[in-house]
Amino acid sequence: MNQRKAPPRQVTTDLKYLGRHRMVLLGLAVLFGGIALRAGYLTVIDSDFLRAQGDARMMRTEPIMAMRGVIRDRNQAPLAVSTPVATLWLNPRQALAADLDISALARALKQSPSALRAKIKRHRDKRFIYLDRHLSPNAADEVLALDFPGVYAMTEYKRFYPEAEATAHMLGFTGLDDHGREGLELAFDSQLAGVEGSKRVMKDLKGHRVQDVALLKPARPGRDITLSFDSRVQYSAYRELARGVAEHNAKAGVLVSLDVETGEVLAMASVPSYNPNNRSQLDMDAVRNRAVTDMFEPGSTLKPFTLVAALESGKFTINSRFDTSPGTYKVLNKTVRDHEDFGVIDMQTVLTKSSNVATSQIAMALPRSTLPLLHQHLGFGQSTGSGFPGESAGLMQPSNRWNPVELATMSYGYGVTVTALQLAQAYATIASGGLQRPVSFTKVDGPVAGRRVIPEAIANSLIPMMETVVTQEGTALRAAVPGYRVAGKTGTAHKASQGGYARDQYMSLFVGMAPASHPKIVTAVIIDTPRKGGYYGGLAAAPVFSRTMADTLRLMNVEPDRSAERLADQARRSGRGG
């Protein structure tokens, strides 16, 4: 039987396909072998590489914002606290790559679409820009729920001031970065500010956080600060000062209260004020703390220190007498005037009636440097060292200008500029028996050693003299406080203007202490340019002092030192200003 043989051409074709098949199999074997080898290498030998690459795509390091310290008053009532808020931010690269609907995002943020579009394009090469800061968590969640690509949220803190206008000038405020910008927020910023921490988080492909993985560095909160202020006293001071400014249609007002025994600032108010919780319509003229920045000539409130210089010199005693007739006194080409002819008066009456003539006579009888050097020793012309940002030093005339006319005017409060804080500290020096204590904005525990500025006997002799100012015969009966003996001095000073003094603009002042038997509190009140109701210190400033001091003594639990009989007698009297 004959067998049929395959044609040669067909055999050749079969061999050709068999060879190709083997080549494909060999290539696939090599490919899969290489993959297996690479997988084994990465898994066994270079596993850290895979882990790092995975982490780079899923792990992120995020900051942990630190909470700012709380500012409290001396009784631990909160005056400034930080609350968590949400801040929305955008990754421009991611948003542009995903073709973000900018108009929809702008509507959600209640912003201008054109402005937002321009902002994103301007920062197209960045990975972070702010969209909106300090939102409520609910408001931020509404935007995040729309799931815009590249939009994320972070937690920040916003400062809140419970007392608002009443403490605005003392506390100041923080900026968007939660750092102090004004006032004690700025002065204590390094202590209040916390230290930012960091954490590692896992995110999905859309950038949403899946979970917190590890705490890399814990955030350290800022330190709490306890101030010397009493929020109740502060509120009373601000309320009564605002009332006084309104009643006299004044330009502005300032009040400072000090604790005599510690130098603590119990209250510091300035009008006009502002709301630190809402600064959208902020008037920068209202921001400055006039109690430490504004300088003015203190007028007759400096006369007690002229008497200090007189008594220290040994040329005068408390029984010395001065002939002030006919109510004028010539010093070179300047005529010094009293508002009436007081005749022959003793040293106590110099303060009671506020005689410019008598203090000028004292200045002319003393060596040229005596009065200016005493003022410098009291701290005029230099900062109190309180540390309050922007504190002014005041101004003392240089020694080459200590001529007779300058000395005469200096004796009744002209030619020297001071701040309200300086003036209050100087009176606290008298109240403490001649010891000057440092001004403190933080609470002080225990007794404070003072610097001897005035001999104790002289300081103590001045207080009964200043009590007569707050009587029927004096210039400030309206400064009286029911139940307490009060000592102090009025001042009514022309305001300086270009080329001289304004004829119809005055600074009205009263500085006093109580209880006069053993002074605990000193309060200075300055009313700037009262336009109605009288401009004398006894009319404009004294009533504010009276109301504020009454509240302060009650709130600080200071016992009365005046008998009911004297109170009844005082109630039958009527007062006048001066």
Side-chain angles (χ1 to χ4, degrees), residues 66-72 76 80-82 159 174 178-179 184-185 187-196 219-227 440-443:
M67 181 175 285
R68 190 172 178 84
V70 178
I71 299 180
R72 305 180 186 275
Q76 297 304 301
V81 296
S82 293
R159 208 65 162 162
T174 59
D178 211 27
H179 283 282
L184 296 181
E185 288 276 29
F188 296 116
D189 188 59
S190 61
Q191 300 172 54
L192 290 165
V195 178
E196 186 180 279
R220 190 180 72 199
R223 202 180 86 189
D224 292 352
I225 299 290
T226 300
L227 298 183
S440 177
F441 285 99
T442 56
K443 188 175 181 180

Side-chain angles (χ1 to χ4, degrees), residues 402-425:
W402 295 346
N403 57 53
V405 172
E406 294 286 352
L407 294 174
T409 58
M410 192 181 294
S411 74
Y412 53 88
Y414 286 89
V416 181
T417 63
V418 302
T419 66
L421 183 60
Q422 287 177 325
L423 193 57
Q425 185 187 37

